[in-house]
Amino acid sequence: HVQLVESGGGTVQAGGSLRLSCAVSGLTYAMAWFRQAPGQEREGVATINPHSATSYLVDSVKGRFTISQDNAKNTLYLQMDNLRLEDTGKYYCTADYIYRSNPTMDMKTTDWTYWGQGTQVTVSS
């Protein structure tokens, strides 16, 4: 059974940075970060293949966010720089026990098996 625990959220001014962490227990074959703003649907942000380290970011965060992993620490990260007001939301770590080979589609579905409890990110002006 896979368990995911996020941390690192908080309040930051626009233009600032935060690094989210997700402690992972169990074997996974795909991992990602999603976010959900109040009143909106959960949306994919970035995904990574934990074995090849191949990553994909959605257009709205490209050049500002970086997804990475530290296999020795069993931790997934999301480095968020140059944060904008529209980045505000609850950020979720998610994982699956199968390989996912279509990141464009994977970021458009919440059909992932394992989810963390989420960590709040608030960007203020």
Side-chain angles (χ1 to χ4, degrees):
H1 182 66
V2 173
Q3 289 187 314
L4 309 170
V5 180
E6 303 98 331
S7 61
T11 299
V12 64
Q13 286 192 323
S17 298
L18 281 174
R19 187 177 79 160
L20 305 183
S21 299
C22 174
V24 182
S25 65
L27 180 63
T28 63
Y29 289 86
M31 299 204 66
W33 287 97
F34 277 69
R35 66 185 179 188
Q36 187 167 20
Q40 297 188 20
E41 293 185 351
R42 197 170 294 188
E43 63 174 0
V45 175
T47 184
I48 190 168
N49 181 312
H51 301 279
S52 69
T54 302
S55 63
Y56 173 89
L57 293 95
V58 299
D59 287 344
S60 60
V61 304
K62 278 181 183 175
R64 302 188 299 119
F65 290 11
T66 304
I67 185 172
S68 63
Q69 60 187 19
D70 185 329
N71 290 334
K73 296 181 179 179
N74 293 325
T75 302
L76 178 73
Y77 299 102
L78 185 68
Q79 176 67 42
M80 306 185 294
D81 297 318
N82 192 20
L83 282 160
R84 302 170 180 170
L85 297 178
E86 55 264 36
D87 294 319
T88 293
K90 198 163 189 179
Y91 283 68
Y92 296 88
C93 176
T94 184
D96 220 324
Y97 59 88
I98 57 173
Y99 283 113
R100 288 180 172 261
S101 58
N102 191 336
T104 302
M105 294 304 300
D106 292 336
M107 293 286 91
K108 294 180 180 179
T109 177
T110 56
D111 186 22
W112 289 68
T113 303
Y114 307 106
W115 291 88
Q117 82 288 352
T119 185
Q120 180 67 35
V121 171
T122 302
V123 183
S124 63
S125 58

